[in-house]
């Protein structure tokens, strides 16, 4: 365990000990949220509530602090604001932080750990080199590799196991292919944006449905008319990011075909099949589109990074077909496992055996949430629910076990890979736990509701555009699209009712906007930096400047699309 891991472990233990000061018995305390602690200054209040995540991103990208240090400082600031500005009792504030941290452990860190385990087994078995060569054999052109790996494989992995796992895997694969480290992470972050609406078998939409009570199929149909448009344009932007506008001219047709294949399949499956399989089908269609196009319509020239070798020396000898299948076997097994569990009645059979839940002591129903629009109070539940048999992380773990004989891995070597993955995840895991702790603290203290209060001041015509921005903000605050939907989903329903808008369209637009927050959410930035450090030893890669410009462009596209759909009755 190196110095950074020791510091992460020690810092996390020390913070846990300090947090115990907040965990004195609450003695039945009841906390009534206030959305306006600063009086009639809703926008100033919202800015104050946003200080913790703003500070964290500033410390990570503008100062020489790692993710865990920045997250601990931001969490301390969030606790101060929650207790001394929003008036939350200290004991309840501490419990809400721990509740969020438990949510980070399972399913987020559980999924990440098993995904990193599979990647380490691929590397240790030598199969990663075969996988890398098979990708380069398709084409040594860096633009084609960007489309195939950066866009297609990211979209496929995001639909299988989200929570940052695709960021780690794709960044590592691109670095292994010879891409610059920071560029690899930037490609992975941007590629993970629009497809994240269908992440982990449609979890964001299912979460939104559970929060709002709206039909998941109807929500999926709305999201299926918005995010696929972004996905169709995403490959073009990725090629520009890697090779510039001049490089786009040689492969624009392949990029367009990849995006259209993804978008078309996503639209059809989200409307006529099921949101749980939309991402897998669309990601597979994008990969098939690139491979099919390469058979009949190859670019005239091969684009390489400046200073790279010629094509002849850069193209590896073909590996035996069985070796290539062996290298890809963990991904194929993972797809088959998830398809078997979610596509049949097996999931329903397993649900009663793996499900468990418990009310969080002292916090459950001790907080009365104030509706940001009507001001009415309701008791806020704090019940942790999980199904260990069917959660995404367990399915990834099962796929890893089934892949052992295919990778020819001994149990001792597999255990060593698991331990290495666990140790490697410590700094990033502590950071993600702090981030989720901040998100839950903001939720239970009323800070998140104060941010959403500004929505009630916008005119009805601007509501779809504001929901895009609110979804973007919710993803940044909570770390994922699903958590952002849980944060602001109820607010979107109330705002739609107050302004006479279609609640399904407004809630779906919130989810679509959240996908763009994936590029700069601290959780994903931490995972990208962890992958860079693991392979190159570099730290504090400044990723936000590399991705923010393209993110804002796609946000403008989505804002205009949402406004047009609302204005012309397409909603």
């Amino acid at each position: 365990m190196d110095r950074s891991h020791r510091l992460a472990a020690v810092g996390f233990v020390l913070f846990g000990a300090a947090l115990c000061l907040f965990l004195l018995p609450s003695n039945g305390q009841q906390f009534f949220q206030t959305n306006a602690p600063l009086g009639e200054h809703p926008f100033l209040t919202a800015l104050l509530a946003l200080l913790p995540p703003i500070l964290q991103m500033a410390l990570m990208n503008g100062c020489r602090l790692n993710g865990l240090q920045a997250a601990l400082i931001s969490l301390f600031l969030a606790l101060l604001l929650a207790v001394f500005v929003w008036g939350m009792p200290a004991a309840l504030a501490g419990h809400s932080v721990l509740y969020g941290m438990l949510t980070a452990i399972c399913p987020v860190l559980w999924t990440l750990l098993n995904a990193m385990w599979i990647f380490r087994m691929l590397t240790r078995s030598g199969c990663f080199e075969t996988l890398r060569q098979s990708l380069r054999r398709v084409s040594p052109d860096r633009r084609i590799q960007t489309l195939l790996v950066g866009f297609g494989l990211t979209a496929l992995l995001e639909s299988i196991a989200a929570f940052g796992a695709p960021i780690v895997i794709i960044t590592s694969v691109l670095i292994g292919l010879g891409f610059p480290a920071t560029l690899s992470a930037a490609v992975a972050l941007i590629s993970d944006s629009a497809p994240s609406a269908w992440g982990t078998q449609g979890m964001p939409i299912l979460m939104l449905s559970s929060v709002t009570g709206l039909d998941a199929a109807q929500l999926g149909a709305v999201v299926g008319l918005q995010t696929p448009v972004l996905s169709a344009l995403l490959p073009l932007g990725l090629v520009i990011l890697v090779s510039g506008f001049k490089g786009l001219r040689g492969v624009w047709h392949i990029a367009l075909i990849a995006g259209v294949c993804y978008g078309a399949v996503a639209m059809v499956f989200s409307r006529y099949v099921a949101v749980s399989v939309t991402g897998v089908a669309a990601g597979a269609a994008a990969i098939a589109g690139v491979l099919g196009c390469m058979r009949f319509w190859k670019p005239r020239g091969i684009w390489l990074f400046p200073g790279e070798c010629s094509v002849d020396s850069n193209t590896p000898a073909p590996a035996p077909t069985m070796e290539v299948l062996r290298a890809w076997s963990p991904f194929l097994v993972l797809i088959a496992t998830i398809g078997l569990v979610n596509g049949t009645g097996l999931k329903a059979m397993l649900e009663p055996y793996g499900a468990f839940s418990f009310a969080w002591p002292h916090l459950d129903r001790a907080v009365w949430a104030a509706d940001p629009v009507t001001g009415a109070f309701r008791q806020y539940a704090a019940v942790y629910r999980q199904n260990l048999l069917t959660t995404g992380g367990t399915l990834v773990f099962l796929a890893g076990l089934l892949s052992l004989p295919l990778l020819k891995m001994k149990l001792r070597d597999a255990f060593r890979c698991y331990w290495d993955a666990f140790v490697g995840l410590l700094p990033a895991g502590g950071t993600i736990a702090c981030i989720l702790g901040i998100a839950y603290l903001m939720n239970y203290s009323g800070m998140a509701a104060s941010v959403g209060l500004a929505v009630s001041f916008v005119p009805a015509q601007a509501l779809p555009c504001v929901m895009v921005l609110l979804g973007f903000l919710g993803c940044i605050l909570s770390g994922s699209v699903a958590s952002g939907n849980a944060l602001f989903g109820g607010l979107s329903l109330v705002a739609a009712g107050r302004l006479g808008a279609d609640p399904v369209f407004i809630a779906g637009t919130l989810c679509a906007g959240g996908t763009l927050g994936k590029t700069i959410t601290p959780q994903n930035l931490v995972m990208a930096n962890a992958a860079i450090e693991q392979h190159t030893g570099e730290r504090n890669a400044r990723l936000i400047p590399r991705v923010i410009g393209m993110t804002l462009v796609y946000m403008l596209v989505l804002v205009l699309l949402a406004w047009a759909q609302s204005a012309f009755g397409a909603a």
Side-chain angles (χ1 to χ4, degrees):
M1 186 180 295
D2 61 23
R3 182 173 178 271
S4 64
H5 295 135
R6 289 196 299 270
L7 286 176
V10 172
F12 203 56
V13 169
L14 290 177
F15 180 79
L19 191 62
C20 288
L21 296 175
F22 287 88
L23 299 184
L24 297 174
S26 62
N27 297 322
Q29 282 181 307
Q30 297 287 302
F31 170 57
F32 290 81
Q33 290 183 355
T34 174
N35 295 328
L38 301 185
E40 299 299 322
H41 302 283
F43 295 102
L44 182 60
T45 304
L47 180 61
L48 188 63
L50 291 174
L51 278 183
I54 292 174
L55 176 63
Q56 181 174 348
M57 288 190 286
L59 292 175
M60 288 175 58
N61 292 274
C63 303
R64 295 183 177 274
L65 294 182
N66 60 39
L68 182 58
Q69 292 169 330
L72 286 171
I73 294 173
S74 301
L75 180 52
F76 181 69
L77 174 61
L79 282 167
L80 291 178
L81 290 173
V83 173
F84 294 106
V85 179
W86 272 261
M88 189 178 195
L92 296 182
H95 279 292
S96 63
V97 170
L98 287 183
Y99 182 33
M101 288 182 171
L102 178 62
T103 305
I105 293 173
C106 186
V108 180
L109 297 182
W110 174 234
T111 303
L112 276 174
L113 174 60
N114 293 310
M116 293 175 68
W117 174 48
I118 290 178
F119 183 79
R120 285 184 178 270
M121 287 197 298
L122 278 171
T123 303
R124 189 178 184 89
S125 65
C127 289
F128 177 72
E129 179 62 24
T130 304
L131 186 150
R132 184 177 68 88
Q133 290 182 5
S134 70
L135 290 170
R136 294 179 66 183
R137 284 293 303 175
V138 174
S139 174
D141 194 307
R142 297 305 192 181
R143 301 166 299 180
I144 301 299
Q145 293 171 358
T146 299
L147 295 173
L148 190 61
V149 179
F151 178 66
L153 190 56
T154 300
L156 187 61
L157 291 178
E158 173 67 21
S159 65
I160 294 172
F163 302 119
I167 303 296
V168 175
I169 294 174
I170 297 302
T171 300
S172 301
V173 171
L174 290 176
I175 291 175
L177 286 171
F179 281 60
T182 304
L183 179 62
S184 300
V187 169
L189 287 167
I190 294 174
S191 299
D192 196 47
S193 57
S196 62
W198 320 109
T200 317
Q201 302 100 60
M203 182 180 291
I205 295 175
L206 297 177
M207 175 67 76
L208 185 61
S209 174
S210 67
V211 170
T212 61
L214 300 173
D215 183 65
Q218 294 181 3
L219 290 170
V222 171
V223 178
L225 289 175
Q226 294 178 342
T227 57
V229 176
L230 296 179
S231 302
L233 301 175
L234 206 54
L236 299 171
L238 291 172
V239 173
I240 294 173
L241 178 68
V242 170
S243 61
F245 284 96
K246 184 179 292 186
L248 179 64
R249 286 186 292 185
V251 296
W252 66 268
H253 52 288
I254 302 178
L256 190 60
I257 287 175
V260 169
C261 286
Y262 184 96
V265 171
M267 283 185 179
V268 172
F269 271 67
S270 62
R271 181 171 288 271
Y272 300 108
V273 186
V275 297
S276 60
V277 297
T278 295
V280 174
I287 294 174
V290 174
L291 295 176
C293 190
M294 286 295 295
R295 292 182 62 88
F296 306 102
W297 200 4
K298 295 183 179 180
R300 294 182 179 179
I302 301 298
W303 192 92
L304 303 173
F305 292 117
E308 281 196 286
C309 302
S310 63
V311 176
D312 293 336
S313 60
N314 206 38
T315 304
T321 302
M322 292 306 298
E323 287 299 311
V324 174
L325 290 175
R326 178 172 165 247
W328 284 96
S329 61
F331 299 104
L332 299 176
V333 170
L334 184 55
I335 294 173
T337 301
I338 290 176
L340 178 64
V341 172
N342 291 288
T344 65
L346 185 58
K347 184 174 183 178
M349 293 173 56
L350 294 175
E351 285 285 350
Y353 301 100
F356 75 95
S357 64
F358 65 90
W360 193 271
H362 306 295
L363 183 63
D364 182 45
R365 299 190 178 278
V367 175
W368 291 77
D371 190 282
V373 178
T374 65
F377 284 96
R378 59 179 176 84
Q379 279 187 305
Y380 207 156
V383 180
Y384 180 78
R385 293 183 176 88
Q386 196 56 250
N387 192 310
L388 292 180
L389 291 181
T390 58
T391 188
T394 302
L395 297 183
V396 177
F397 177 72
L398 178 60
L401 290 178
L402 295 175
S403 300
L404 291 181
L406 299 173
L407 296 176
K408 300 179 181 179
M409 289 285 294
K410 298 180 180 179
L411 284 177
R412 181 181 59 185
D413 294 333
F415 178 79
R416 179 64 183 175
C417 289
Y418 205 92
W419 173 254
D420 290 342
F422 173 78
V423 173
L425 190 61
L426 276 177
T431 306
I432 293 171
C434 289
I435 292 171
L436 267 294
I438 293 172
Y440 274 67
L441 176 61
M442 293 183 67
N443 220 357
Y444 280 89
S445 66
M447 296 167 66
S450 296
V451 175
L453 183 63
V455 174
S456 63
F457 293 93
V458 303
Q461 296 81 359
L463 183 59
C465 306
V466 173
M467 295 312 295
V468 171
L469 302 177
L470 195 63
F472 175 77
L473 183 60
C475 181
I476 294 175
L477 290 175
S478 61
S480 69
V481 183
S483 299
N485 289 345
L487 198 62
F488 291 137
L491 174 64
S492 69
L493 198 63
V494 175
R498 177 180 177 273
L499 298 175
D502 180 5
V504 175
F505 175 70
I506 295 301
T509 303
L510 173 81
C511 180
T515 63
L516 296 174
K518 293 277 285 186
T519 58
I520 61 172
T521 183
Q523 178 175 310
N524 277 3
L525 292 174
V526 167
M527 298 312 303
N529 275 292
I532 291 174
E533 183 178 350
Q534 176 183 343
H535 289 273
T536 67
E538 300 176 12
R539 294 187 181 182
N540 297 318
R542 300 192 175 187
L543 291 170
I544 289 183
R546 298 296 300 268
V547 301
I548 190 63
M550 192 167 295
T551 299
L552 293 177
V553 169
Y554 285 122
M555 180 177 290
L556 178 61
V557 172
L558 183 57
V559 165
L560 293 175
L561 177 63
W563 175 82
Q565 288 178 331
S566 176
F568 297 102

